[in-house]
Amino acid sequence: MSPINLSIDCVILGFDNDQKLKVLLIKKIINEKNDYQYALPGDLVKIDEDLLTGAKRILKSLTSLDNIYLKQFYTFGNPNRTKEKKDQSWLRLYRKKPEERVVTVGYIALVNMEEYVPQASSFAFEAEWVEVNKLSQDLAFDHNHILSSGIEYLREQIDHKLISNLLPSKFTLSQLQNLYEILLDEKLDKRNFRKNISKIDVIKKTNEKQEGVAHKPAFLYTYDKVFKEN
Amino acid sequence: MSPINLSIDCVILGFDNDQKLKVLLIKKIINEKNDYQYALPGDLVKIDEDLLTGAKRILKSLTSLDNIYLKQFYTFGNPNRTKEKKDQSWLRLYRKKPEERVVTVGYIALVNMEEYVPQASSFAFEAEWVEVNKLSQDLAFDHNHILSSGIEYLREQIDHKLISNLLPSKFTLSQLQNLYEILLDEKLDKRNFRKNISKIDVIKKTNEKQEGVAHKPAFLYTYDKVFKEN
DNA sequence: ACAAAAGTGTTTTTTTTACACCCATGA
DNA sequence: TCATGGGTGTAAAAAAAACACTTTTGT
C-alpha cells in the first residue's frame, strides 16, 4: 500500500470595519513564466508533528501569522482532489511525488486584519485578503469547497474562542455586533443584542471608554482572561 | 519526509429496547497466546479510496455490517496515539511498519442492533456489542477518547440521517422518544415530545399500527423516502 | 448647533414547560 | 377485568422579538 500524504489547509477569515468578510489567500507561482494561482495557506504535515502544531507552523511559514487560535473543522479526502490539470503544474514544481494522493485536514481561524498583517514567505510569494463574496471560482485544488465548508461550520455555531481571537483585546459592543452581523449575514437589533451579550459570562465590561471619536464614546469590553488562555 | 499512515475508526452505536447505549467493538488477537484487546472497528485507508467509501469497506470487512449511514466527525492526529506499549504487540503482528505514525479519521453511525447483526472477520476474531457505561478504560490506541468524542458529537446536535439508519423503517413514537432519551440521557415529556416531532417534516405518520401488542397499538411512523435516500 | 454613534426598557409574540386522564388491545 | 403502553390539550412561564428616544462627544 503506497503512502497517503497528509496536509493541512487553513481557512483564515479576516474582518475589518468595511463590513466585508475576507479570506486570507496566498499566491503560488505555478510555472517559470511566473503565472500564479490563489490558494488557502496549506502544506504537508511533518512526520512527527501534532495536527494543531502543524497547522500553526504552516500558517506561520506561509503568512507569518503567529499566535492564532485555530480549530479543526473537517477532513477532505477525495482521492482526486489534487488531480485536476490546473493543479499539476504547481505540484510538479514543489512536491517530490506530485502524483500522490493528498488528504487534507481543514483548520479555521478568525483574525483581526489590523492586528495581524500577513507577510508572504516560503512558496507563497504573496499573502492577500480577498473578499469572500468577490472570490472567483478558481482556487487551487478543492479550496473553494474547503472555504465554503469552513464558513458554513462557523455560522452553525458561533465560537467565542474564534471570535475572541479576531477582536482586539478591548472592543466595543458595536464592533462585536458588527461581526455577528457579518458572520450571520443578517441585521440584529441593538437592544436585544446587548441583552444577549450580557448573559455571556466570559464577556466583561471594563471601565474604559473609546477615545477620540466624534460621538459619544462607547464602553470597552473584553473577554475574560481565563477564557482567552484556555 | 517519511509517510504518514491514514486510518479510519468507526464508532458504531447500537440500540435495542433494553435502554442501554452500546458500542460495537472488535476483539483483536495481540499475540500468539491468543490474548486479545478490544478496539473500535478500524483499519488503514486504501491508496485510492474515498474516505467514506473506505469507512464503509472497513466496517464491512471487520463486522460484516453493510449499508450503514456513516458520518465523519473528527480527525485524530496525536503523533503518539499508536505508540503506547499496550498497542505495539498487535501493530507488530499486522502492520508492515508498526512504528510509523497513524492519523485516523473518526466516523460515526447508529444502527439497529436487531437489524444489523455483526459477524467478525478479517483480523477481528469477534465483534461484540458492549454497553458504553460499563466499558473498561482499556481499548486499543486512543479509542476510548475517539468513542467519547463521537458520543459527544452526536449529543450536540441530533442528526436524523443517523437516527433514521438506526430505526426500523416503520417505528412508533415511543421508540423514537426512547432513543432520544438514551442519547440525551434525560427523561422527556411525552406530549411535548410529540408536539416537537410533529414539526419535523421528514417524519411522517403512516396508517399502519403495531400488531400483537398487549396494549393499545401505536401508529407507525416513517422517515420520508426522499430524505432517507439522500 | 449639528452629525454620529452610544445607550437604555417595556410590551407583544412566540416558544417551552408542566401536567392527568381516557383508550385499545392481549392475556 | 386487568395490566400495559397509546394518545391527547391547555394554561403558565420563559424567551425572543419589536420598537424610539435621549446622551455624549468632536467638529
Side-chain angles (χ1 to χ4, degrees), chain B residues 161-211:
Chain B
K161 283 307 253 283
L162 288 169
I163 287 187
S164 69
N165 191 72
L166 183 159
L167 290 168
S169 65
K170 310 230 168 116
F171 52 88
T172 68
L173 291 184
S174 293
Q175 282 179 288
L176 185 60
Q177 180 172 347
N178 208 232
L179 174 54
Y180 267 74
E181 289 177 347
I182 291 172
L183 290 180
L184 300 175
D185 197 25
E186 62 177 318
K187 268 310 236 179
L188 301 173
D189 178 88
K190 184 160 56 160
R191 283 180 280 196
N192 294 336
F193 179 77
R194 283 161 189 247
K195 252 178 274 173
N196 294 146
I197 294 301
S198 69
K199 288 178 206 146
I200 299 174
D201 60 2
V202 296
I203 297 179
K204 309 279 192 199
K205 187 174 182 175
T206 71
N207 297 321
E208 298 169 61
K209 291 181 185 174
Q210 267 182 318
E211 281 171 25

Side-chain angles (χ1 to χ4, degrees), chain A residues 1-4 6 44-51 72 74-79 83 96 101 103 105, chain B residues 1-4 6 44-51 72 74-79 83 96 101 103 105:
Chain A
M1 192 171 305
S2 94
I4 296 177
L6 191 69
L44 296 176
V45 176
K46 285 191 177 172
I47 183 61
D48 251 329
E49 124 193 291
D50 183 71
L51 296 179
Q72 186 195 122
Y74 199 73
T75 296
F76 301 85
N78 185 316
K83 305 278 163 87
K96 283 179 195 150
R101 176 180 184 185
V103 169
V105 183
Chain B
M1 192 170 308
S2 93
I4 295 176
L6 190 68
L44 296 177
V45 176
K46 285 191 177 171
I47 183 59
D48 252 329
E49 126 193 288
D50 183 70
L51 296 179
Q72 186 194 125
Y74 199 73
T75 296
F76 300 86
N78 185 316
K83 305 277 164 88
K96 284 180 194 149
R101 176 181 186 185
V103 168
V105 183

